[in-house]
Amino acid sequence: MEFSATATLRTPGWSQWAYRNVAVRNGGIEIASEPSLSTERLSFSAVDIAVGADGAQYALRSSGAVYQHDERRGIRHLLLHAESHDLDDPCGICVSGDRLYVLGAAGAVAVVSTRLQQPIGTIETGLRTPVMITAAAGRLYLLDTAVGAVVTLQPDGTAETVFGSLSSPIDMSVTETGAIYVLDEQDTHRAVQKQSSTGEILDGRILVGRHRVIRKQSPDGNIDPGQFPLSTFETTAGESVTPTRLVHPTDSPLLVVGRTADDQSIVADVDPETSRLRKRGRLDSACRSIRIPHAADNGLYAVTGETTALRLEPTVRRVNDPDTGGCVGRAYRQFDSGTEAVQWHRLAVDGGRRAAGTQLRVSYFASDDPSPLEKPLSSFT
């Protein structure tokens, strides 16, 4: 009796296979891959960084000076002298249109025209301890720790609260649609009871620690919708992470920079379904700030350590097999003739173009046993 079977190369046909560390793409299978971030060190130092719509990079130096850089043409221009403003300890910058904004720790904001290449004024916000400034959809947003709120600046310079009731906010990110994400640190208390001198039992609370949460305000003003607030931060491998920075790129999941138990600084995105952190890369040291460029640029910009400026470029990396540690994929398919003792006499395999160093190994085993594999097929799916 002869028995023959064919396997289609169309994508739906692969649903009958069991595979591990393999992805189905373009009608075939390949080693699974995942988003990653490559790191490029920029030629200048900064304590904060912003990128305009024309791709120009603006660096706030620790001295309080602001430089404009064009890495492609090797141009550096001093845009704002440290002596030309009276900002108290400049701590952040952002760009919106042809305006650059420099935030001082005492609440003043210096305004610089990028077109005229000179300062054009100062805004007194009245805030006492702002820690960050950013721009989205033509609006300026400031994060203030004293009032525990995200505020926007009105045309007359007054600050209007748009996201309040925060405890000790650390970082924020605002999307072009108006969604606001805030990394906040909150106190953790434990309920206790004590007996007064009169014998009365009194209820109370004691501070036992602090924990970090990520909160969201949607564009319609809804606080903590869906999976928010996030208060547990673990990687898909179960590794605990303490978030330190966050940013929400356009058309991408929320990115979190965090510190692991072994003091490594990682960049991960938040899985929208499980809320777990999926690692995308590592940084050499703690992240001071991470920014989205206003230009048509799918990268990110960050400052790590004291003044190291970086560009983070999205890329794709092959997924390592958890057993071997290498880029190995397996795919299995069982064919059943319905009759015992059938002799298989031919096996044909078609392979597409492969990268250098790729090995393709094919093996088969014929048996009357209904489960001839070392492990059931279900264990590989």
Side-chain angles (χ1 to χ4, degrees):
M1 175 182 178
E2 291 186 357
F3 171 62
S4 63
T6 59
T8 178
L9 291 181
R10 293 184 298 109
T11 299
W14 290 109
S15 63
Q16 303 175 47
W17 289 65
Y19 35 80
R20 183 177 183 182
N21 207 38
V22 165
V24 179
R25 294 189 181 94
N26 301 321
I29 59 173
E30 62 183 42
I31 301 298
S33 60
E34 63 183 5
S36 181
L37 291 170
S38 63
T39 303
E40 174 192 359
R41 183 166 181 169
L42 302 178
S43 62
F44 53 85
S45 61
V47 296
D48 199 9
I49 190 170
V51 181
D54 58 356
Q57 301 162 355
Y58 301 93
L60 173 63
R61 301 290 182 84
S62 56
S63 64
V66 177
Y67 284 84
Q68 179 180 341
H69 295 266
D70 188 327
E71 290 280 290
R72 293 168 297 180
R73 296 186 291 171
I75 296 176
R76 184 187 75 167
H77 175 70
L78 179 58
L79 194 63
L80 182 66
H81 291 267
E83 298 79 15
S84 64
H85 62 75
D86 55 359
L87 297 180
D88 231 354
D89 189 18
C91 58
I93 59 173
C94 73
V95 62
S96 178
D98 63 352
R99 296 287 189 269
L100 178 74
Y101 300 90
V102 185
L103 174 65
V109 177
V111 186
V112 181
S113 170
T114 58
R115 180 175 58 85
L116 301 176
Q117 301 279 292
Q118 64 183 26
I120 57 175
T122 301
I123 303 173
E124 296 293 342
T125 66
L127 300 175
R128 289 184 294 158
T129 53
V131 294
M132 181 184 177
I133 185 170
T134 190
R139 301 181 72 185
L140 287 180
Y141 296 82
L142 290 86
L143 183 64
D144 188 83
T145 58
V147 297
V150 178
V151 302
T152 60
L153 288 185
Q154 302 303 305
D156 61 358
T158 58
E160 177 188 358
T161 298
V162 291
F163 192 171
S165 301
L166 302 171
S167 297
S168 297
I170 298 169
D171 198 16
M172 71 169 171
S173 181
V174 184
T175 69
E176 288 297 316
T177 61
I180 304 173
Y181 298 82
V182 178
L183 174 60
D184 196 16
E185 189 168 60
Q186 301 178 345
D187 293 337
T188 302
H189 294 89
R190 185 177 65 203
V192 295
Q193 288 185 328
K194 71 175 183 178
Q195 187 175 16
S196 69
S197 57
T198 62
E200 183 182 3
I201 302 299
L202 303 176
D203 293 326
R205 297 191 308 162
I206 60 172
L207 178 66
V208 295
R210 300 178 67 81
H211 68 282
R212 296 185 177 185
V213 298
I214 295 178
R215 304 188 61 190
K216 176 186 178 181
Q217 178 174 284
S218 59
D220 60 6
N222 187 17
I223 303 294
D224 295 332
Q227 65 184 139
F228 294 90
L230 298 178
S231 57
T232 300
F233 303 96
E234 287 186 348
T235 65
T236 52
E239 188 177 16
S240 180
V241 176
T242 300
T244 57
R245 295 286 175 241
L246 57 77
V247 69
H248 199 301
T250 304
D251 300 325
S252 297
L254 177 67
L255 278 178
V256 173
V257 182
R259 186 176 63 254
T260 61
D262 58 355
D263 209 29
Q264 296 288 320
S265 185
I266 68 167
V267 183
D269 66 23
V270 178
D271 188 323
E273 297 181 359
T274 66
S275 296
R276 290 212 163 201
L277 301 180
R278 300 175 294 193
K279 286 186 182 179
R280 294 295 174 252
R282 290 185 179 271
L283 301 176
D284 290 338
S285 54
C287 183
R288 184 175 185 136
S289 71
I290 184 165
R291 302 291 196 179
I292 304 170
H294 287 272
D297 181 346
N298 61 355
L300 297 168
Y301 291 80
V303 176
T304 61
E306 293 296 325
T307 58
T308 301
L310 303 173
R311 184 176 187 277
L312 308 179
E313 175 72 24
T315 184
V316 174
R317 68 179 176 187
R318 301 297 183 187
V319 178
N320 287 341
D321 180 86
D323 290 339
T324 67
C327 295
V328 178
R330 302 181 181 92
Y332 300 88
R333 171 74 186 276
Q334 285 182 267
F335 298 96
D336 186 3
S337 69
T339 304
E340 293 185 357
V342 171
Q343 298 295 316
W344 288 71
H345 57 85
R346 185 177 66 177
L347 178 67
V349 178
D350 185 20
R353 301 178 66 181
R354 306 186 295 273
T358 300
Q359 292 184 347
L360 176 63
R361 297 180 180 178
V362 180
S363 60
Y364 73 93
F365 179 70
S367 171
D368 292 332
D369 190 325
S371 300
L373 299 176
E374 293 181 5
K375 298 181 181 180
L377 282 176
S378 59
S379 69
F380 294 97
T381 58

